[in-house]
Amino acid sequence: MKKTALIMAGGRGERFWPRSRQNMPKQFLSLTDDGRTMLQLTVERIQPLVGLEDIFIVTNRSYKALVREQLPSLPEGNILCEPVGRNTAPCIGLGAVYMAKKYGDAVMMVLPSDHLIKYTSLFLNTLSDACEVAEQGEHLVTLGIAPDSPETGYGYIKFQPEERLGRAFAVERFVEKPDLETAKAYLASEQYLWNSGMFIWKTSTILKNLQAYLPETYQGLCRIGESIGTEAEEQVLEREFQELPAESIDYGVMEKAGGIYILSGAFGWDDVGSWLAVGRIKRSNELGNVVEGNVVTVDTRNTTIQGSGKLIAAVGLEDMIVVDSEDALLICEKGHAGDIKKVLENLKICNRREYL
Amino acid sequence: MKKTALIMAGGRGERFWPRSRQNMPKQFLSLTDDGRTMLQLTVERIQPLVGLEDIFIVTNRSYKALVREQLPSLPEGNILCEPVGRNTAPCIGLGAVYMAKKYGDAVMMVLPSDHLIKYTSLFLNTLSDACEVAEQGEHLVTLGIAPDSPETGYGYIKFQPEERLGRAFAVERFVEKPDLETAKAYLASEQYLWNSGMFIWKTSTILKNLQAYLPETYQGLCRIGESIGTEAEEQVLEREFQELPAESIDYGVMEKAGGIYILSGAFGWDDVGSWLAVGRIKRSNELGNVVEGNVVTVDTRNTTIQGSGKLIAAVGLEDMIVVDSEDALLICEKGHAGDIKKVLENLKICNRREYL
C-alpha cells in the first residue's frame, strides 16, 4: 500500500520568542548546528521512506509562502492550507480527505514538523514497523518515547506489555499532562510512554474513527473532500473548515478509540520545547556555553547566546539565555524559560503586536 | 581674590562601556534622572560661586567639540586643550599657567567633571570655606569624604584632628588605594578621609609647588605660559606638553608637599565609578529595578537596564546590569562590574577598535 506522510506545520509556538514570531513560528526556524530549519529536517528525514511527491504539509495559509520558500522541490499541490487553526483533529482530517481523494486508501504517517530526531535510521525502522501494523487491519498506531524523567509537559500513553502485535503494544489509555507526583509514578511503573504526537494509520482507518467520535467534523470534512478538484474547492474549504470545532486528535479520537497500538521509539527524540533545548542540542564549549554571533564572554558559564549583528558582551553570567533579534532582545534565566510567555502576554495587553 | 574653577574633563573611562567609548567618555554622558551630562552638572553646580567666564575646562583636544556642544555658553577661550593625556599634574599645571596669565593670582578650584554631588548648597559652603583657607597663605587645600565603608578603590588622606585652620584640618599624608585590611583599619581610626580629587589653591601656590616637586614639568609649563597670546602659542603647547612626564598631582605634589589642609565634606558625593552607581543614583521601582527604554520585565529584581530603541525582555533576572547601545550590548552580573574592562581588553586584542 502507498505510504504517505502528513507533516503538520501550522503551529504558532511562542516559546522561541523573539526568534519565533506570529509570522515565523518555530517549525520555520533553524535551531540546530545543521542550519536547516525544523521543517526542512523533518521532510529530509522521512524521504528514504516516502517520496517527496507523497509528502503533504498542512499549515495555516499565512505560512504557505514560507513552506514554498523552505521546500522549493515540494509540489505546490502538496501544501494543504487551513484557513484558520482548528487544532490537530481537523488538521489531520483535512490531510486524510485529500489523500483519500488522491490515493484511495494509503498508509499515512502523521508527523509534527518541529521535533528533532537524532538517529534517523532507528526512527525510520520504527516508522516502517509502525506502517506494517497500521496496514494489518484497522489499527491506530502511534510512536511513544520511553521517558527518562518525570516530565509534566508531555501527555503519556499507558501500554499493555503482554498484548503485542509485532513490535507494537496495545494501548490501554491516553492520559493528559500529569502533575509531578503522577509523572513519577508513571515513570516507576514502566508502563507509560511519552506521547510523541506521531501517528500512523490508513486514511480509511482515521476517517472511520473521525466518523465515529467526531461526526460533525467528519461531515464537514466529507463536504470538503467532495469539492476537491472542483471549481468550488477553495470556497468550500473556506466555509466548512471554519465551522469545524477545534479539537485535538488526542482528546477527540485517541482517548476514545479502541484498537490503538504503540511502538516504543529510542531514536533520540527531542521536542525542542524551549530555548533550554538549544543549550542541549547545539555544540557547547568547555564552559557549557552555546554561543553564536558577535559575542564576547567573560566569566560566563552554562549560558546560551544567540546573537545577531550587534556585539553582545556577557560578563559573569551563569545559566542564562540571551537571544537577540532585529527588534527585540530576550535575557532570561534558564529556570524561568517557562515565563517567556508572560512577556508575550504583557505585549498583548499593551497592544504591542509588532513584537508578537 | 578672584575665584576660578578648573574642571578636568579629559578622562577616558572604560567603566561605562558600551555607552562610554573612546570618543564619548563618562563625563559627557547623562547618568542621572536629570538628563544633563556629568560635565553639565559639574559646571551648573559651581556657578553660584564662580561665573561662567571664570570656569575653565581642560580636556583632550579630541573632545573640544563635545565640550562646546554641551556648554554652548562657555567662552571658547575657556576650553584648554591638551594635545595628549599626561595625567593630572600637567593638566592642572596647564590650567594654572593660563589663569596666572589671565588673572595674575587667583583662587583656583580644581574639580573632576565626572562625580555627582547630591547637596549642592552644602558642597558650595564647604568649597567657599576651602577658598578662604587657600587664600590665607600658601596652603594646598583639598576636600575629603568621610568614608562609610572600607573602599579599596579610593586613595585616602590622613588628617590631624588637633591641627585646625578654620574648618580645615592639617593633612598628615596622602596614601594610595589600600588593601581591604588596611582600609578597614583606616575606617576604624576615624583619621582618614577619601581623596575626592578636588583641590583648592591659589595659582601662585600650585605653581610654586610644581616648581619645587616637578621642576621639569614646571619649566615646560613656563614655556607654554610665555607663549600664551603669541603667534607661537599653539605650536609651543603642542611641542612642550608632549614632553611633560605623565604624573598625577597626588603622587607628584600632594604626597610630597607640606602645608596641606583638608575639609571634610558631607554633601552626598558619589564618584559614579561603575554601572553599579547608576542603580544607586537613579530612581528604582519597588523591585529595586532601574529601567529605562523599551523594556518588559518579568520576575526581575535589583537589576539596572538601560535600553535603547530595541525591545528588551528581562525574565527572571536578579542583580544584573543590561546596557544597550547602537552597536553593542552589555549583560553583566553586578558582582562582575569590575570585569567590564576584560571585555575591552579582549576587543583590543582582537583589534575590534570600532567597539572601544
Side-chain angles (χ1 to χ4, degrees):
Chain A
M1 192 178 275
K2 184 63 128 181
K3 281 190 183 70
T4 68
L6 181 71
I7 295 173
M8 298 180 290
R12 296 184 175 276
E14 299 186 327
R15 288 178 289 184
F16 287 86
W17 189 89
R19 285 281 168 90
S20 66
R21 297 293 177 96
Q22 283 196 339
N23 59 6
M24 181 55 78
K26 173 187 167 195
Q27 60 271 26
F28 300 113
L29 297 178
S30 166
L31 296 168
T32 63
D33 289 317
D34 168 279
R36 279 172 295 182
T37 69
M38 305 292 281
L39 175 65
Q40 286 171 330
L41 290 170
T42 302
V43 169
E44 185 117 344
R45 185 186 298 133
I46 198 75
Q47 285 198 55
L49 216 55
V50 189
L52 202 55
E53 67 283 6
D54 299 320
I55 296 176
F56 292 77
I57 313 293
V58 59
T59 190
N60 188 284
R61 82 179 150 203
S62 61
Y63 304 140
K64 185 174 183 180
L66 271 171
V67 174
R68 293 200 67 187
E69 193 187 312
Q70 297 199 352
L71 302 171
S73 309
L74 188 85
E76 190 182 346
N78 288 20
I79 306 173
L80 308 179
C81 291
E82 302 170 294
V84 290
R86 286 286 180 263
N87 210 332
T88 49
C91 162
I92 291 167
L94 183 68
V97 296
Y98 269 90
M99 290 189 190
K101 193 82 176 191
K102 181 165 182 183
Y103 302 105
D105 207 1
V107 174
M108 173 180 170
M109 305 172 221
V110 178
L111 305 168
S113 59
D114 61 348
H115 295 173
L116 278 185
I117 283 161
K118 202 168 179 180
Y119 305 108
T120 301
S121 63
L122 296 177
F123 171 64
L124 292 176
N125 261 295
T126 309
L127 208 48
S128 191
D129 292 348
C131 288
E132 273 181 40
V133 178
E135 223 177 319
Q136 286 167 31
E138 301 197 338
H139 307 306
L140 297 166
V141 185
T142 183
L143 304 188
I145 312 296
D148 51 23
S149 62
E151 273 292 329
T152 57
Y154 300 146
Y156 284 69
I157 300 170
K158 187 173 189 197
F159 66 96
Q160 296 174 293
E162 63 287 353
E163 263 193 66
R164 294 187 53 171
L165 193 63
R167 260 188 65 191
F169 298 100
V171 165
E172 190 178 311
R173 61 189 178 103
F174 273 61
V175 291
E176 310 216 358
K177 294 172 187 175
D179 60 28
L180 186 61
E181 278 316 295
T182 310
K184 282 180 179 168
Y186 289 170
L187 193 62
S189 77
E190 298 181 18
Q191 287 194 26
Y192 286 82
L193 299 173
W194 288 335
N195 182 348
S196 71
M198 295 188 271
F199 306 102
I200 304 94
W201 43 51
K202 289 185 289 196
T203 51
S204 58
T205 308
I206 187 62
L207 287 170
K208 267 183 205 158
N209 277 279
L210 285 165
Q211 185 175 21
Y213 301 109
L214 294 171
E216 196 189 333
T217 297
Y218 177 76
Q219 294 305 326
L221 290 168
C222 286
R223 286 189 289 272
I224 293 168
E226 283 155 18
S227 78
I228 296 170
T230 72
E231 275 185 9
E233 176 175 350
E234 208 166 317
Q235 196 189 329
V236 172
L237 176 64
E238 177 79 28
R239 185 183 65 226
E240 295 290 339
F241 202 85
Q242 298 209 46
E243 296 298 316
L244 302 182
E247 188 64 271
S248 74
I249 196 78
D250 297 76
Y251 185 79
V253 174
M254 304 307 280
E255 294 185 14
K256 299 176 172 80
I260 308 180
Y261 284 84
I262 191 165
L263 282 83
S264 164
F267 34 70
W269 175 83
D270 195 313
D271 78 330
V272 196
S274 74
W275 281 117
L276 291 180
V278 172
R280 274 196 311 268
I281 292 161
K282 293 211 176 201
R283 267 185 299 274
S284 60
N285 68 12
E286 68 282 3
L287 296 168
N289 297 323
V290 173
V291 167
E292 277 169 48
N294 186 3
V295 177
V296 174
T297 60
V298 173
D299 251 332
T300 289
R301 271 163 243 278
N302 200 26
T303 287
T304 298
I305 304 180
Q306 301 267 296
S308 60
K310 182 176 282 195
L311 173 67
I312 297 177
V315 183
L317 304 192
E318 192 155 359
D319 291 320
M320 301 283 292
I321 298 160
V322 178
V323 184
D324 195 20
S325 77
E326 205 178 316
D327 60 347
L329 169 79
L330 170 72
I331 308 169
C332 178
E333 199 273 327
K334 282 189 173 174
H336 287 76
D339 292 336
I340 294 172
K341 62 176 179 293
K342 292 186 186 168
V343 172
L344 293 155
E345 283 161 18
N346 180 312
L347 292 169
K348 273 174 211 157
I349 289 166
C350 300
N351 208 24
R352 306 181 73 186
R353 301 200 165 267
E354 68 273 27
Y355 293 115
L356 297 177
Chain B
M1 191 177 277
K2 183 63 128 182
K3 282 191 182 71
T4 67
L6 182 72
I7 296 173
M8 298 181 289
R12 296 184 175 277
E14 298 185 327
R15 288 178 288 184
F16 287 86
W17 188 89
R19 285 280 168 90
S20 67
R21 297 295 177 96
Q22 284 196 338
N23 59 6
M24 180 56 76
K26 174 188 166 196
Q27 60 271 25
F28 301 113
L29 297 179
S30 166
L31 296 169
T32 64
D33 289 317
D34 169 279
R36 281 173 294 182
T37 68
M38 305 292 282
L39 176 64
Q40 288 172 328
L41 289 171
T42 302
V43 169
E44 185 116 348
R45 185 185 299 132
I46 198 76
Q47 285 197 56
L49 216 55
V50 189
L52 202 55
E53 67 283 5
D54 299 320
I55 297 176
F56 291 77
I57 313 293
V58 58
T59 191
N60 189 284
R61 83 177 150 204
S62 61
Y63 303 140
K64 185 173 183 182
L66 271 172
V67 173
R68 294 200 67 187
E69 193 186 312
Q70 298 199 353
L71 302 171
S73 309
L74 188 85
E76 191 182 345
N78 287 21
I79 306 173
L80 308 180
C81 291
E82 301 170 294
V84 291
R86 285 288 180 261
N87 210 332
T88 49
C91 161
I92 291 168
L94 183 68
V97 295
Y98 269 89
M99 290 189 191
K101 193 82 176 190
K102 180 164 181 184
Y103 302 104
D105 207 1
V107 175
M108 173 179 169
M109 304 171 221
V110 178
L111 305 168
S113 59
D114 62 347
H115 295 173
L116 276 186
I117 284 162
K118 202 169 177 178
Y119 305 108
T120 301
S121 63
L122 297 177
F123 172 63
L124 292 177
N125 262 296
T126 309
L127 208 48
S128 191
D129 292 348
C131 287
E132 272 181 41
V133 178
E135 225 176 316
Q136 288 166 29
E138 300 197 337
H139 307 306
L140 298 166
V141 185
T142 183
L143 304 188
I145 311 296
D148 52 21
S149 63
E151 271 294 328
T152 57
Y154 300 147
Y156 285 68
I157 301 171
K158 187 175 190 196
F159 65 97
Q160 296 175 292
E162 63 289 350
E163 263 193 66
R164 295 186 54 173
L165 193 61
R167 260 188 66 189
F169 298 100
V171 165
E172 189 177 312
R173 61 190 178 102
F174 274 63
V175 292
E176 310 216 359
K177 294 173 188 175
D179 60 27
L180 185 62
E181 279 315 296
T182 310
K184 282 181 180 168
Y186 289 170
L187 193 63
S189 78
E190 299 181 16
Q191 289 194 23
Y192 287 83
L193 299 173
W194 287 335
N195 183 347
S196 71
M198 294 188 272
F199 305 102
I200 304 94
W201 44 52
K202 289 185 288 195
T203 50
S204 57
T205 308
I206 187 63
L207 287 171
K208 267 183 204 159
N209 276 279
L210 285 165
Q211 185 175 21
Y213 301 109
L214 295 171
E216 196 188 334
T217 297
Y218 178 75
Q219 295 305 326
L221 290 169
C222 286
R223 286 188 288 272
I224 292 168
E226 282 154 20
S227 78
I228 295 172
T230 72
E231 275 186 8
E233 176 176 350
E234 207 166 318
Q235 198 188 328
V236 173
L237 176 65
E238 177 79 27
R239 187 184 64 225
E240 294 291 340
F241 202 86
Q242 298 209 47
E243 296 298 316
L244 303 182
E247 188 65 272
S248 74
I249 196 76
D250 297 76
Y251 185 78
V253 174
M254 304 307 281
E255 293 186 15
K256 299 177 172 78
I260 309 181
Y261 284 84
I262 191 165
L263 281 84
S264 164
F267 35 70
W269 174 84
D270 195 313
D271 78 330
V272 197
S274 75
W275 281 117
L276 291 181
V278 173
R280 272 197 311 269
I281 293 162
K282 295 211 177 203
R283 267 185 298 276
S284 61
N285 68 13
E286 68 283 2
L287 296 169
N289 298 323
V290 173
V291 167
E292 276 169 49
N294 186 3
V295 177
V296 174
T297 60
V298 173
D299 252 331
T300 288
R301 271 162 244 278
N302 201 24
T303 287
T304 298
I305 305 180
Q306 301 266 296
S308 60
K310 183 177 280 196
L311 174 67
I312 298 177
V315 184
L317 304 192
E318 193 157 358
D319 291 319
M320 301 282 292
I321 297 161
V322 178
V323 184
D324 196 20
S325 77
E326 205 178 318
D327 60 347
L329 169 80
L330 170 72
I331 308 169
C332 178
E333 199 274 326
K334 282 190 173 173
H336 287 77
D339 292 336
I340 294 172
K341 61 178 180 291
K342 292 187 187 167
V343 173
L344 292 156
E345 283 161 19
N346 181 313
L347 292 169
K348 272 175 212 156
I349 289 166
C350 300
N351 207 25
R352 306 182 73 186
R353 303 202 163 264
E354 68 274 26
Y355 293 115
L356 298 178

